[in-house]
C-alpha cells in the first residue's frame, strides 16, 4: 500500500541521530520527520527549533503507540536496540535501526522471531556503507566476475584522534560493546557482503598505546583481526579510534584476475593544497562527512520499501551474523586464542 508521506519518529538525537534526523527532515523524499524521542531536553529542543518537529516524547513506548507516526528510526545506544525494535514492531510500526542490531546472539534471535511475526512491516538495519556509490560500484564488479575469485579482503576503519578524549571518558563509565562490535562491525558486514561467504574462524589482537587507561575499561584503542571464511578466503581487519590525519576508511579486495581498492587515501575532495608544509590533500574528518550521501540513500531506501511494500536487502540475519563474528573477535582478543564462529 502506497503511503504518500511516511511519518517517521526518531529515537536518539546524539551525533549520528542528528545526522539521520536532518536527512529525514530535509533530504529524503516521501517522508516527514513527525516525531522525536529523547530523555535529553536539549535534543528535543533541537528537533523542534532546528527541524520543525511537531511531536516530541520522553517515553519511547508512548511514541510507538502514537498515531502520529508510521515508522521509527532507532539511533539510541546499542544496548536498547532489540528492545526498541520489539516494541515498535508490536505496535505496528515499520522499523529502521542503527547497527548493531543487538549485543548478544540470544537477544537478536528473539528479535528475529518478533520481526518474522510482522511480515507486512518493513525492517531495515543500518549498514550504510552498502549504500555508498563507490562500494556499490565495487560490489557490482565483483558480482560480474571482473576480478575473478576473491582470495583476500583487507579493511581499515579508524576514527579521528579528536574523538579520543571524549571516548576515553565515556568508556570508563559505559559499555560500548567493544571495538569489534562498536566499530569493526561495518567492515565485518562488508566482508560478508562482498564475498557472499560466512566467517569460519577468527584471531584478534589489539593494543592501547596512546591511552593505556583503556585497559582498565576493557576497551581497545586499536585492534586487528584475521579471519578465515568458509571457502578459505582470507579477511584482515584493522579498527581503531586514533587516526591523527582524520577519518580513515579503506577496503581492498584481491581476486584471481585483479584487485579493487575503495578509498585508498581518505580524500575530503579533489583539492590539493601546496604551501610551506608541502603538498597536502585534505582528508575527511568524520563519518557524517565521508558517508553523507550513503546515509541519505540508506534512509531513502527505507522509505521506498515502505511505499513499495517490500523488504530491504539488509535484514535481521545480517545483524545476527555480524554481531556473532564481532563477539568471536572480542572473545579471541580476551582469550588470546583462535576462535571458531558459532553457527545455528
Amino acid at each position: 500500500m502506497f503511503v504518500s508521506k511516511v511519518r517517521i519518529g526518531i529515537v536518539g538525537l546524539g551525533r549520528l541521530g542528528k545526522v539521520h534526523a536532518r536527512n529525514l527532515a530535509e533530504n529524503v523524499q516521501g517522508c516527514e520527520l513527525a516525531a522525536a524521542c529523547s530523555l535529553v531536553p536539549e535534543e528535543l529542543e533541537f528537533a523542534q527549533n532546528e527541524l520543525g518537529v511537531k511531536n516530541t516524547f520522553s517515553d519511547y513506548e508512548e511514541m510507538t503507540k502514537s498515531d502520529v507516526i508510521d515508522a521509527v528510526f532507532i539511533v539510541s545506544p546499542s544496548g536498547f536496540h532489540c528492545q526498541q525494535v520489539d516494541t515498535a514492531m508490536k505496535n505496528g510500526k515499520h522499523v529502521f535501526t542503527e547497527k548493531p542490531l543487538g549485543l548478544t546472539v540470544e537477544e537478536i534471535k528473539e528479535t528475529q522471531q518478533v520481526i518474522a511475526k510482522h511480515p507486512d512491516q518493513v525492517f531495515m538495519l543500518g549498514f550504510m556503507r552498502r549504500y555508498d556509490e563507490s562500494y556499490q560500484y565495487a560490489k557490482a564488479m565483483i558480482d560480474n566476475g571482473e576480478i575473478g575469485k576473491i582470495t583476500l579482503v583487507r579493511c581499515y576503519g579508524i576514527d579521528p584522534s579528536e574523538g579520543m578524549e571524549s571516548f576515553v571518558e565515556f568508556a570508563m563509565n559505559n559499555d560500548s560493546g567493544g571495538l569489534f562490535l562498536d566499530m569493526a562491525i561495518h567492515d565485518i558486514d562488508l566482508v560478508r557482503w562482498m564475498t557472499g561467504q560466512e566467517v569460519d574462524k577468527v584471531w584478534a589482537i589489539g593494543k592501547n598505546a596512546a591511552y593505556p587507561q583503556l585497559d582498565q575499561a576493557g576497551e581497545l584503542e586499536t585492534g586487528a583481526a584475521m579471519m578465515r571464511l568458509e571457502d578459505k578466503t582470507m579477511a584482515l581487519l584493522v579498527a581503531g579510534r586514533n587516526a591523527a590525519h582524520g577519518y580513515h576508511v579503506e577496503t581492498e579486495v584481491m581476486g584471481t584476475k585483479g584487485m579493487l581498492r575503495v578509498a585508498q587515501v581518505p580524500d575530503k575532495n579533489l583539492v590539493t593544497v601546496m604551501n610551506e608544509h608541502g603538498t597536502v590533500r585534505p582528508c575527511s574528518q568524520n563519518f557524517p562527512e565521508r558517508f553523507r550521501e550513503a546515509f541519505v540513500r540508506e534512509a531513502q531506501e527505507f522509505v521506498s520499501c515502505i511505499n513499495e511494500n517490500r523488504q530491504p536487502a539488509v535484514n535481521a540475519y545480517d545483524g545476527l551474523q555480524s554481531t556473532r563474528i564481532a563477539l568471536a573477535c572480542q572473545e579471541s582478543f580476551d582469550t588470546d586464542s583462535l576462535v571458531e564462529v558459532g553457527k545455528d
Side-chain angles (χ1 to χ4, degrees):
M1 179 179 178
F2 182 83
V3 180
S4 58
K5 273 220 170 182
V6 179
R7 300 169 303 166
I8 297 177
I10 192 168
V11 57
L13 286 164
R15 182 171 62 152
L16 179 54
K18 284 184 171 66
V19 172
H20 280 305
R22 194 171 292 281
N23 283 336
L24 292 168
E26 301 174 356
N27 300 318
V28 178
Q29 302 299 309
C31 75
E32 172 193 357
L33 185 60
C37 179
S38 175
L39 296 175
V40 182
E42 291 79 11
E43 293 181 354
L44 296 182
E45 290 172 8
F46 163 81
Q48 290 175 312
N49 300 333
E50 297 290 325
L51 304 179
V53 175
K54 298 176 183 177
N55 305 285
T56 58
F57 298 84
S58 58
D59 184 283
Y60 174 73
E61 186 168 8
E62 182 183 350
M63 184 177 76
T64 63
K65 288 181 176 179
S66 168
D67 60 3
V68 300
I69 64 170
D70 309 301
V72 296
F73 235 75
I74 298 173
V75 204
S76 57
S78 301
F80 296 113
H81 290 182
C82 279
Q83 175 190 345
Q84 291 180 337
V85 170
D86 296 356
T87 300
M89 281 279 171
K90 290 173 181 175
N91 285 317
K93 302 301 188 285
H94 305 285
V95 177
F96 173 98
T97 182
E98 262 300 334
K99 61 79 193 167
L101 175 52
L103 299 182
T104 70
V105 169
E106 291 73 22
E107 69 173 351
I108 293 175
K109 286 184 175 181
E110 291 175 3
T111 296
Q112 277 186 298
Q113 294 176 3
V114 173
I115 294 169
K117 291 178 182 177
H118 300 85
D120 294 332
Q121 292 162 231
V122 171
F123 172 79
M124 184 172 177
L125 183 61
F127 282 127
M128 81 292 186
R129 294 189 197 176
R130 294 196 189 198
Y131 296 90
D132 177 76
E133 287 185 311
S134 295
Y135 280 104
Q136 289 183 335
Y137 183 84
K139 170 67 170 167
M141 292 187 68
I142 291 168
D143 290 347
N144 290 334
E146 295 186 41
I147 65 168
K149 293 182 178 180
I150 297 176
T151 56
L152 184 142
V153 182
R154 178 183 62 83
C155 304
Y156 283 178
I158 312 173
D159 273 355
S161 301
E162 65 179 25
M164 275 301 301
E165 294 289 348
S166 60
F167 175 75
V168 171
E169 182 179 350
F170 170 86
M172 300 306 288
N173 301 289
N174 300 274
D175 181 11
S176 74
L179 181 72
F180 298 104
L181 189 58
D182 184 40
M183 291 190 61
I185 197 165
H186 280 294
D187 293 307
I188 290 169
D189 180 65
L190 283 178
V191 168
R192 295 183 60 248
W193 183 53
M194 292 283 195
T195 64
Q197 295 286 326
E198 295 295 349
V199 176
D200 182 33
K201 293 183 179 181
V202 301
W203 184 56
I205 53 178
K207 181 180 181 181
N208 291 321
Y211 295 87
Q213 59 266 48
L214 287 175
D215 289 340
Q216 304 169 27
E219 273 286 358
L220 272 177
E221 174 188 319
T222 305
M226 178 180 291
M227 301 179 174
R228 189 184 77 175
L229 280 59
E230 291 176 326
D231 68 346
K232 305 291 179 66
T233 295
M234 299 165 283
L236 306 172
L237 308 181
V238 176
R241 308 182 189 275
N242 199 19
H245 55 278
Y247 182 57
H248 192 122
V249 172
E250 180 180 339
T251 306
E252 184 176 84
V253 185
M254 183 185 301
T256 55
K257 296 181 181 178
M259 183 185 299
L260 295 172
R261 184 174 291 151
V262 181
Q264 178 181 1
V265 177
D267 291 335
K268 179 183 181 74
N269 49 41
L270 298 179
V271 175
T272 299
V273 179
M274 289 166 279
N275 56 25
E276 70 273 16
H277 301 296
T279 301
V280 180
R281 293 295 300 273
C283 294
S284 296
Q285 292 300 304
N286 49 55
F287 67 85
E289 182 178 39
R290 166 62 181 86
F291 290 107
R292 180 186 296 112
E293 293 303 317
F295 281 121
V296 174
R297 288 157 62 95
E298 175 185 63
Q300 189 68 66
E301 171 68 359
F302 177 61
V303 172
S304 297
C305 284
I306 294 172
N307 278 326
E308 296 167 15
N309 193 28
R310 61 181 174 85
Q311 293 292 337
V314 192
N315 55 40
Y317 183 74
D318 294 308
L320 173 66
Q321 291 302 99
S322 58
T323 294
R324 178 176 271 154
I325 296 162
L327 291 173
C329 289
Q330 187 65 48
E331 179 185 349
S332 175
F333 171 74
D334 291 339
T335 61
D336 192 23
S337 63
L338 184 69
V339 172
E340 290 194 19
V341 178
K343 299 178 181 178
D344 291 326

